[in-house]
Amino acid sequence: MSHTRPAGTEDSGADAKIADAPESWPVERSEDRYRSRMVGMRTDWVEMPGPGGQGTSLAARDYMEHPGAAAALALDDAGRVLLQRQYRHATRHTLWELPAGIIDGEGEGPLATARRELVEEAGLRADTWHELADFFPSPGFSNERIHVFLARGLSEVPAEEIDFEREHEEADLVAEWVPLEEAVHLVLAGRLHNGATVIGILAAHAASRTGFTGLREPAEP
């Protein structure tokens, strides 16, 4: 299958040039504003370029410190995606989402979190895992990073092997299997709003065009 590159990029070397990279500007001082079991709020006074690019100046930047999260896009042999409806109090919405959770296990990496959440929320295991995307959902005020994995070769986990009891929002989960093409239409129609779900569905649809070849192998710490 041939692919057409966007006009004007044929000889630009954009693939080699464009990549996000770690960088840290000097911080004069920091102050904790709030700290809970999982997240914190902090203010850093950061050295920034001065007016007109001359010298430097200090700018206060508030942000949330977050351990990160992982999501599993479970795709069955019929090409259907598992979506689960869950209440999200901060948004005052019920949202259709992928199985997902915070990376909160000791020494746990993103893939282990995705595996755990797929078992706990959906009662499923997967034989094959690939990374679809990883992104910062709100880089203007949070360091949260979310990894979205493609899970295939699904099988049910016997109930006696699941050492987890759903409560609160998770006790009210509703699940639906949706064909991938239909899930894309739901995204484009504005009927899905969870960031990891939207990105995961669109990434999986793009990857499906080449039979999921070229996807990244998941890495663990």
Side-chain angles (χ1 to χ4, degrees):
M1 179 183 295
S2 63
H3 297 273
T4 303
R5 295 173 60 91
T9 65
E10 289 80 357
D11 301 314
S12 66
D15 288 349
K17 291 179 182 178
I18 299 177
D20 298 336
E23 184 171 348
S24 182
W25 290 6
V27 175
E28 183 197 65
R29 68 184 189 278
S30 296
E31 183 176 331
D32 272 344
R33 303 295 191 181
Y34 168 79
R35 185 70 51 181
S36 74
R37 184 178 67 86
M38 295 305 304
V39 301
M41 290 298 298
R42 171 181 290 271
T43 301
D44 286 350
W45 281 264
V46 187
E47 288 188 15
M48 301 276 190
Q54 300 300 310
T56 61
S57 61
L58 286 179
R61 292 293 179 262
D62 300 322
Y63 63 98
M64 180 177 69
E65 294 181 314
H66 192 285
L73 189 144
L75 191 70
D76 70 6
D77 292 341
R80 300 179 303 170
V81 177
L82 176 63
L83 296 179
Q84 297 179 319
R85 190 188 68 195
Q86 184 169 345
Y87 175 65
R88 294 298 187 181
H89 186 70
T91 66
R92 305 304 199 272
H93 275 70
T94 53
L95 301 177
W96 287 92
E97 304 178 350
L98 306 177
I102 292 175
I103 303 172
D104 57 1
E106 185 174 350
E108 185 176 75
L111 178 58
T113 297
R115 290 184 188 273
R116 171 172 55 79
E117 292 294 334
L118 188 60
V119 171
E120 292 178 352
E121 293 190 0
L124 294 172
R125 288 197 181 101
D127 293 332
T128 305
W129 292 84
H130 289 93
E131 188 154 11
L132 284 170
D134 68 280
F135 63 101
F136 298 105
S138 302
F141 77 95
S142 174
N143 66 359
E144 179 184 11
R145 187 170 189 165
I146 300 178
H147 296 256
V148 185
F149 297 94
L150 174 65
R152 292 179 293 163
L154 304 174
S155 60
E156 291 189 10
V157 179
E160 62 270 17
E161 294 183 18
I162 301 176
D163 184 21
F164 177 77
E165 185 176 353
R166 295 179 187 170
E167 62 178 351
H168 305 140
E169 299 95 334
E170 292 181 342
D172 192 46
L173 288 178
V174 175
E176 292 286 348
W177 288 93
V178 181
L180 181 57
E181 289 281 350
E182 183 179 331
V184 172
H185 292 313
L186 294 175
V187 170
L188 298 181
R191 294 174 61 181
L192 301 178
H193 300 87
N194 175 271
T197 302
V198 168
I199 290 172
I201 287 171
L202 296 181
H205 183 254
S208 71
R209 296 178 178 178
T210 57
F212 302 106
T213 61
L215 287 177
R216 288 175 287 164
E217 294 293 330
E220 282 287 30

